[in-house]
């Protein structure tokens, strides 16, 4: 291994050391020390990856890529996991949880750099197995049900993924994405199965059933990992397959567009009648997966930049909303939010701004992301998809409006614990990012353009 190759893999090495160290500390140290070890590993891995910005891509062979999206995915996974670690509450002293959280980051980093079927499958499995354990940590009936559903459906998705890879290999004789270029029936059927397996991890309709249960019953930080970290890694690998896979058409692009369009409409429709904040966020994240899938399916020149921009805008909004949900107790409902501005102004502002951004309204970063999405679809002349996005966004406005106006009306007695100082710091960072990305998005646009530059 050359020095350049070791440098490219060093963030994953750091994460692996942190996961092992955090696990070894479990019988020896307090929970706070285990969390500190995990946090140090995540922060160091992100710093190492950031230091490599601008460095030439290392020749890694077929298994792993060292391109801009891979580096973006590694930094993104580390920073969002660090944010999720701040409000990691499992309901009892579960000191193994920080180590599992770092394992999720390893799976996401592996998946973001995948250029080969073996790396793809390895990343997916590391992510899935770690999330199953995190979903069940509360040991409640609902948490165990969410973990069981995810386990069963994850097994089915992995089977579809493996069978799809096998069929593509049978015709092309290759496992590297860049060599997948067959046009026969085996490759077409294999591509459909591959897409189905990835759609489950991306929570696209009709493979979305696990998502709302996980958001409602699992710890909020586990929902963040499933809804942001895992989703972003899968989005990057789908983007890489679209850019370099040469998979058969119309199975790939039209299949992805059909799944994305169905997710936008059905995710938003199902979210309309949800009274619980985390369950509403679970259904809304299905719709956001659909928006990202539509960008990739468009195949336009700026699709890659639009995907990374959307992910960067989406992350602080979802982190802020789920952090507030965790602070208010298990599965807060709409009436629980009434009068929140009087009782907890920071949580009220963070939640309202996060939901404004997810709704795509002006002054929040989500508005610019939606404009970028529409621009990509209009550039491609995809007017049906434009109509689906407009319809889905209109539906989304109604349920987001119910939740982001609730903190400013009425009154409810508050029995939840005061906000920890680390939670307050995280909410302030999320508020700042949402506002900065909304009023001055040029800096982020330059970053994603440089990331996607050849």
């Amino acid at each position: 291994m050359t020095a350049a190759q070791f440098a490219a893999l060093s963030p994953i090495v750091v994460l692996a050391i942190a996961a092992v160290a955090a696990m070894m500390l479990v019988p020896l140290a307090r929970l706070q020390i285990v969390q500190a070890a995990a946090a140090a590993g995540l922060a160091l891995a992100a710093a190492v990856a950031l230091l490599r910005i601008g460095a030439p891509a290392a020749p890694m062979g077929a298994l792993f890529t060292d391109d801009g999206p891979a580096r973006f995915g590694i930094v993104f996974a580390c920073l969002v996991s660090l944010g999720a670690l701040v409000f990691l509450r499992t309901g009892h002293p579960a000191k193994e949880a920080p180590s599992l959280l770092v394992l999720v980051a390893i799976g996401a980093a592996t998946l973001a750099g995948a250029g080969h079927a073996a790396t793809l499958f390895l990343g997916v499995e590391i992510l899935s197995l770690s999330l199953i354990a995190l979903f069940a940590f509360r040991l409640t009936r609902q948490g165990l049900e969410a973990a069981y559903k995810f386990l069963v459906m994850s097994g089915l998705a992995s089977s579809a993924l493996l069978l799809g890879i096998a069929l593509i290999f049978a015709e092309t004789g290759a496992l590297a994405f860049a060599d997948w270029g067959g046009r026969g029936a085996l490759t077409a059927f294999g591509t459909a199965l591959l897409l189905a397996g990835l759609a489950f991890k991306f929570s696209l309709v009709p493979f979305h059933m696990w998502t709302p249960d996980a958001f409602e019953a699992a710890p909020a930080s586990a929902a963040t990992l499933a809804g942001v970290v895992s989703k972003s890694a899968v989005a990057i690998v789908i983007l890489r397959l679209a850019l370099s896979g040469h998979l058969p058409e119309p199975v790939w692009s039209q299949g992805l567009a059909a799944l994305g369009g169905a997710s936008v409409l059905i995710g938003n429709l199902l979210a309309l009648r949800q009274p619980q904040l985390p369950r509403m966020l679970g259904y809304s994240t299905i719709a956001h997966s659909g928006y990202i899938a539509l960008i990739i399916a468009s195949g336009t020149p700026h699709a890659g930049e639009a995907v990374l921009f959307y992910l960067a805008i989406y992350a602080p909004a979802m982190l802020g909303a789920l952090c507030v949900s965790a602070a208010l107790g298990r599965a807060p409902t709409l009436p629980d939010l009434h009068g929140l501005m009087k009782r907890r102004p920071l949580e009220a502002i963070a939640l309202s701004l996060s939901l404004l951004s997810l709704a795509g309204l002006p002054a929040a970063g989500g508005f610019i992301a939606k404009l970028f999405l529409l621009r990509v679809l209009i550039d491609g002349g995809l007017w049906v998809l434009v109509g689906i996005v407009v319809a889905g966004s209109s539906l989304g406005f109604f349920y987001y409006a119910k939740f982001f106006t609730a903190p400013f009306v009425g009154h409810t007695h508050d029995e939840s614990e005061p906000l920890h100082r680390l939670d307050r710091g995280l909410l302030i960072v999320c508020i700042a990012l949402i506002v900065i990305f909304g009023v001055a998005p040029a800096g982020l646009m330059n970053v994603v353009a440089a990331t996607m530059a050849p």
Side-chain angles (χ1 to χ4, degrees):
M1 179 181 291
T2 66
Q5 289 171 333
F6 181 78
L9 293 175
S10 54
I12 297 179
V13 174
V14 171
L15 288 174
I17 293 171
V20 173
M23 190 60 77
M24 290 179 68
L25 284 170
V26 166
L28 305 172
R30 293 181 291 117
L31 175 61
Q32 289 79 4
I33 296 176
V34 179
Q35 288 178 321
L42 290 166
L44 182 58
V48 169
L50 285 170
L51 286 174
R52 296 195 67 247
I53 289 178
M60 301 297 296
L63 284 175
F64 196 79
T65 56
D66 184 35
D67 56 8
R71 296 178 186 181
F72 179 93
I74 292 171
V75 174
F76 187 92
C78 293
L79 294 181
V80 177
S81 299
L82 194 58
L85 184 62
V86 169
F87 58 98
L88 178 61
R89 300 184 183 95
T90 55
H92 59 93
K95 293 194 285 187
E96 298 84 358
S99 179
L100 288 168
L101 185 144
V102 179
L103 282 175
V104 172
I106 294 174
T110 305
L111 205 51
H116 190 276
T119 326
L120 167 65
F121 188 72
L122 184 66
V124 164
E125 290 307 301
I126 294 173
L127 262 176
S128 300
L129 294 174
S130 307
L131 284 174
I132 289 167
L134 281 169
F135 286 172
F137 249 116
R138 277 180 174 163
L139 296 179
T140 61
R141 179 179 176 181
Q142 291 83 2
L144 293 173
E145 181 183 340
Y148 184 70
K149 282 183 180 177
F150 189 76
L151 171 66
V152 172
M153 296 189 66
S154 183
L156 292 173
S158 296
S159 302
L161 193 70
L162 273 181
L163 184 56
I165 291 170
L167 291 176
I168 295 172
F169 177 77
E171 183 167 315
T172 63
L175 289 174
F177 296 169
D179 298 327
W180 285 353
R183 291 291 179 269
L186 283 179
T187 302
F189 189 45
T191 300
L193 290 172
L194 177 73
L195 194 54
L198 291 172
F200 167 81
K201 305 300 179 185
F202 206 32
S203 59
L204 288 173
V205 172
F207 309 101
H208 65 287
M209 286 79 82
W210 60 272
T211 311
D213 289 338
F215 271 66
E216 179 185 356
S221 53
T224 304
L225 298 173
V228 183
V229 177
S230 171
K231 188 187 299 288
S232 304
V234 176
I236 290 173
V237 84
I238 293 177
L239 178 64
R240 180 169 294 113
L241 280 166
L243 294 176
S244 63
H246 312 297
L247 291 167
E249 299 292 358
V251 178
W252 175 253
S253 294
Q254 292 193 14
L256 190 59
L259 294 173
S263 301
V264 169
L265 295 176
I266 295 176
N268 280 314
L269 276 172
L270 294 176
L272 276 172
R273 296 177 59 83
Q274 301 305 319
Q276 288 184 350
L277 175 62
R279 200 165 180 84
M280 181 276 287
L281 291 172
Y283 278 111
S284 78
T285 196
I286 296 168
H288 286 284
S289 293
Y291 294 133
I292 296 170
L294 293 182
I295 297 174
I296 300 174
S298 71
T300 52
H302 296 290
E305 296 171 27
V307 168
L308 300 187
F309 187 84
Y310 201 101
L311 292 174
I313 296 284
Y314 170 78
M318 192 56 79
L319 260 176
L322 285 170
C323 182
V324 173
S325 175
L328 295 179
R330 196 167 297 177
T333 60
L334 199 56
D336 295 332
L337 302 178
H338 289 158
L340 190 64
M341 187 63 190
K342 296 176 185 173
R343 294 179 279 123
R344 296 180 167 222
L346 178 60
E347 289 97 315
I349 293 170
L351 179 63
S352 297
L353 269 177
S354 297
L355 297 180
L356 275 173
S357 185
L358 291 172
L361 295 180
F367 178 67
I368 309 298
K370 285 282 174 62
L371 287 181
F372 211 163
L373 161 65
L374 290 172
R375 176 197 161 187
V376 166
L377 298 181
I378 291 171
D379 286 348
L382 304 169
W383 298 106
V384 174
L385 300 186
V386 171
I388 289 174
V389 170
V390 172
S393 300
S394 303
L395 289 171
F397 173 77
F398 285 102
Y399 64 81
Y400 282 126
K402 285 193 300 184
F403 281 87
F404 69 63
T405 56
F408 302 95
V409 298
H411 177 75
T412 303
H413 183 62
D414 188 6
E415 296 180 351
S416 52
E417 297 178 358
L419 200 62
H420 191 274
R421 57 186 172 83
L422 289 178
D423 294 51
R424 286 200 296 272
L426 176 64
L427 290 182
I428 290 170
V429 170
C430 291
I431 290 170
L433 290 176
I434 291 169
V435 173
I436 291 170
F437 292 158
V439 300
L444 181 58
M445 286 184 174
N446 292 334
V447 169
V448 298
T451 301
M452 291 305 300

